[in-house]
Amino acid sequence: MSKQEESSLASSPSSPSVLLKDIFRSDLLLQIEKTIEKWFPRRLTEDNYQDISPSQQYKVDVNGINKAIYEPVWDLIDRGGKRWRAVFMLLIAEALGEEYEKVLDFVVLPEMFHNGSLIIDDIEDGSGFRRGKPCIHLVTGVDIAINAGNALYFLPLRILKSKRGTISDDILLRCYETYSQEMTNAHFGQGLDILWHSKHNGEQREPTIDNYLYMCANKTGAVIKICAKLSSIICGATENQIEALASFVESIGIAFQIQDDLLNISLKEGDLLSASKGGIGEDIHEGKRTLMVIHCFNTAEEKDRNRLKEILDMKTFDQQLIREAISILESTNSIQFAQEKAIDLIKTSWSEVDSSLPDTPAKAKLKALSSFLVERNT
């Protein structure tokens, strides 16, 4: 985290200023890492295999499963990550008046879902780098990576089974239904994102702004809605609180995606961040229909609109062409439009959460974290 980010503040009646280092506490992040490793061990052994897949008739090839799933996954996890989704989940529990330990084990579900989706997303997008290193499918091969990524959608579900007897079956069933629903939503959103830039089966329609918001709410918003809903359900929140938090984090998911899109064309050539994210304008190379692109299509003169579409459909790596596309986006104030939309989404959705939760330090941290996610430069 940069010094600039550490100095970011959020105001709250109960906490006049919140530093990001107070949100991303080193001891809390260490607990999250240990919890991930508790439920997803670095290496599978014959003993812990029995906890994951009991009552098998034939002898398991533990070493093979390690090479096929656990080693590729830990390669990705060990590259880092902000863990902001897990932190968000714990803050929601505290904002609802519970100790964060009550939901600590459950942070593994959205974290593993997220990491699995990154592996699959990189394959679908043909990406080259993830967190500063070659994407997992370039290390292991596409077939191994697909299977490992998909496995992360299911392996954490044993956490729900482990809580039987300590959490009511009704709550656990609702948690399972929530996870299943958001998994479905995520694939709907991802499917649209792929369709729009791949032009599969001759698809020629260009998405509208509403189409884009729906896509982000599901592709990017699904995993954080899992965080909010699971934490709320387990902590006994009211239906009003659950809906307010779900709406708020959906807006965060959209705003987070918009900011990712902005960063993708704002990075300076040669920056470490640029290299870790695949280079300047990777979204343009992939032909992505971002909010900026859609706004530009709606507002640009025909010549510029056609030129931008031409460059996007080239799937080019040529930096001169990519920078030409960025210049067209700038000429229609589409970048500014996207920045303002992200900020407005957070402000509007926060009002519902503000009225449904008591003023506490945890609530102030939720607001500070949401501001960081929109204003971040990494």
Side-chain angles (χ1 to χ4, degrees), residues 195-264:
L195 178 69
W196 295 337
H197 70 79
S198 69
K199 300 301 181 185
H200 182 66
N201 282 344
E203 176 64 37
Q204 294 300 320
R205 294 173 302 165
E206 293 293 347
T208 65
I209 289 176
D210 279 348
N211 292 155
Y212 173 86
L213 296 176
Y214 170 91
M215 181 274 291
C216 289
N218 289 279
K219 173 189 173 180
T220 313
V223 66
I224 185 141
K225 279 193 284 185
I226 289 174
C227 297
K229 289 183 177 181
L230 292 190
S231 193
S232 301
I233 291 167
I234 294 164
C235 292
T238 66
E239 289 301 317
N240 179 59
Q241 288 173 324
I242 293 173
E243 289 305 312
L245 284 164
S247 176
F248 175 55
V249 298
E250 180 176 270
S251 294
I252 288 175
I254 299 171
F256 185 86
Q257 183 62 60
I258 293 172
Q259 184 64 9
D260 248 15
D261 296 342
L262 287 164
L263 287 172
N264 189 269

Side-chain angles (χ1 to χ4, degrees), residues 115-300:
N115 280 279
S117 71
L118 293 181
I119 294 173
I120 301 300
D121 189 64
D122 285 340
I123 296 169
E124 292 167 340
D125 288 345
S127 298
F129 290 88
R130 173 65 66 180
R131 295 173 181 165
K133 295 181 179 180
C135 293
I136 297 301
H137 66 278
L138 298 178
V139 177
T140 65
V142 172
D143 45 5
I144 290 289
I146 289 174
N147 188 68
N150 286 339
L152 291 185
Y153 297 155
F154 305 102
L155 283 169
L157 286 171
R158 69 191 184 96
I159 295 170
L160 297 178
K161 182 180 178 181
S162 77
K163 300 299 180 181
R164 296 190 69 176
T166 59
I167 296 178
S168 75
D169 285 349
D170 287 344
I171 290 177
L172 291 176
L173 176 60
R174 191 169 180 187
C175 288
Y176 179 83
E177 290 173 342
T178 295
Y179 184 85
S180 176
Q181 182 62 65
E182 295 306 332
M183 280 283 293
T184 301
N185 294 342
H187 283 78
F188 284 163
Q190 179 72 348
L192 289 173
D193 189 30
I194 295 169
L195 178 69
W196 295 337
H197 70 79
S198 69
K199 300 301 181 185
H200 182 66
N201 282 344
E203 176 64 37
Q204 294 300 320
R205 294 173 302 165
E206 293 293 347
T208 65
I209 289 176
D210 279 348
N211 292 155
Y212 173 86
L213 296 176
Y214 170 91
M215 181 274 291
C216 289
N218 289 279
K219 173 189 173 180
T220 313
V223 66
I224 185 141
K225 279 193 284 185
I226 289 174
C227 297
K229 289 183 177 181
L230 292 190
S231 193
S232 301
I233 291 167
I234 294 164
C235 292
T238 66
E239 289 301 317
N240 179 59
Q241 288 173 324
I242 293 173
E243 289 305 312
L245 284 164
S247 176
F248 175 55
V249 298
E250 180 176 270
S251 294
I252 288 175
I254 299 171
F256 185 86
Q257 183 62 60
I258 293 172
Q259 184 64 9
D260 248 15
D261 296 342
L262 287 164
L263 287 172
N264 189 269
I265 63 168
S266 302
L267 303 174
K268 295 180 181 179
E269 194 166 7
D271 282 355
L272 291 176
L273 179 58
S274 173
S276 71
K277 287 184 173 287
I280 300 168
E282 186 186 20
D283 285 348
I284 293 173
H285 152 65
E286 293 172 4
K288 290 286 185 76
R289 268 46 179 181
T290 64
L291 182 60
M292 292 167 285
V293 167
I294 297 169
H295 178 266
C296 188
F297 281 165
N298 292 340
T299 58

Side-chain angles (χ1 to χ4, degrees), residues 333-344:
N333 294 320
S334 297
I335 294 173
Q336 180 181 349
F337 172 81
Q339 291 169 332
E340 292 173 354
K341 184 66 175 179
I343 293 170
D344 182 62

Side-chain angles (χ1 to χ4, degrees), residues 306-362:
N306 290 340
R307 179 56 175 165
L308 177 60
K309 188 175 187 301
E310 181 183 17
I311 294 173
L312 290 171
D313 291 346
M314 287 179 188
K315 306 295 176 69
T316 181
F317 286 100
D318 188 308
Q319 281 294 303
Q320 186 173 347
L321 289 173
I322 287 173
R323 290 182 183 281
E324 181 184 349
I326 294 173
S327 295
I328 295 173
L329 295 175
E330 291 173 337
S331 72
T332 55
N333 294 320
S334 297
I335 294 173
Q336 180 181 349
F337 172 81
Q339 291 169 332
E340 292 173 354
K341 184 66 175 179
I343 293 170
D344 182 62
L345 280 166
I346 298 299
K347 285 183 177 179
T348 302
S349 60
W350 174 255
S351 62
E352 295 182 30
V353 175
D354 196 18
S355 61
S356 66
L357 293 177
D359 290 330
T360 62

